[in-house]
Amino acid sequence: MDCTILIYTLDRPAYVARQVSYLKAVLPQYRVMVGDGSTGSFAAENAAAVQASGHSLAEYRPYPGVSPAPRLLNLLREVDTPLVVICADDDFLIP
């Protein structure tokens, strides 16, 4: 099954780190895209959290100051899999 997981976040690097690390552990075969509306240091910390996760299929997309709906629409335009899951940074997917 080919699936992309879209995560939206704002100013919560600890949640981003936890979410991407969790997905690396339980669903490592899926592409993960983090759409971040944060600005300033929160954006830098979120980008660093995705990078530090070591998840080879995790991607960080900055959308500073952009509300969740437009962020998700932009992320959806980049999806190239037949299935997609949208979740917040504090949601958990149970396989």
Side-chain angles (χ1 to χ4, degrees), residues 3-7 19-20 23-24 27 30-34 50 55 57-60:
C3 183
T4 300
I5 301 168
L6 306 181
I7 302 166
Q19 178 73 286
V20 177
L23 291 172
K24 179 185 175 190
L27 297 168
Y30 297 138
R31 180 181 183 196
V32 175
M33 298 175 69
V34 178
V50 173
H55 192 319
L57 298 178
E59 304 168 26
Y60 175 80

Side-chain angles (χ1 to χ4, degrees), residues 25-93:
V26 299
L27 297 168
Q29 71 274 29
Y30 297 138
R31 180 181 183 196
V32 175
M33 298 175 69
V34 178
D36 185 14
S38 305
T39 58
S41 64
F42 284 116
E45 289 177 53
N46 282 337
V50 173
Q51 178 80 19
S53 74
H55 192 319
S56 63
L57 298 178
E59 304 168 26
Y60 175 80
R61 296 288 189 270
Y63 298 103
V66 177
S67 63
R71 269 185 275 153
L72 290 171
L73 286 175
N74 284 325
L75 290 173
L76 282 169
R77 289 185 181 109
E78 296 187 49
V79 171
D80 58 2
T81 57
L83 301 172
V84 65
V85 174
I86 299 173
C87 59
D89 55 14
D90 58 355
D91 293 340
F92 281 95
L93 302 175

